[in-house]
Amino acid sequence: MITIILDSIQINTPDDLYAQLDSFLHFPGYFGYNLDALSDILSEIGEPMTLSITDAPTLERTLGASFYHRFLQVFRNNNISINI
């Protein structure tokens, strides 16, 4: 089981978000640092996963509601449980 815990206080940009995700998922060198690339990587992982976000409202404000909700949808589309 992979458990990803995102620390909202450390995330100020989408690049910061991808950097935190990379520390858990170890993206390959060709990773595209966008939501489509994230979805591709998540679909290739063959074990259960959980995403937890500390202070989700802060992350939503920081990244913008549209990006934040699209980000969560990527995890939902890959049947990954989300704790916020």
Side-chain angles (χ1 to χ4, degrees):
M1 166 77 92
I2 298 173
T3 301
I4 300 168
I5 302 171
L6 297 179
D7 181 1
S8 298
I9 294 173
Q10 301 292 324
I11 299 172
N12 295 305
T13 66
D15 286 342
D16 295 337
L17 173 67
Y18 293 122
Q20 277 199 36
L21 289 169
D22 187 22
S23 70
F24 291 97
L25 301 175
H26 311 289
F27 296 146
Y30 60 84
F31 182 73
Y33 294 91
N34 60 61
L35 294 175
D36 288 334
L38 177 61
S39 183
D40 290 345
I41 293 298
L42 294 176
S43 70
E44 294 172 1
I45 297 173
E47 63 182 284
M49 193 178 318
T50 299
L51 170 68
S52 295
I53 302 173
T54 62
D55 196 7
T58 294
L59 187 60
E60 182 177 9
R61 276 192 309 277
T62 300
L63 296 177
S66 177
F67 181 87
Y68 174 78
H69 289 287
R70 287 184 292 133
F71 166 73
L72 293 181
Q73 193 60 48
V74 166
F75 280 82
R76 288 185 187 108
N77 289 348
N78 284 282
N79 298 314
I80 296 169
S81 62
I82 302 170
N83 298 318
I84 52 176

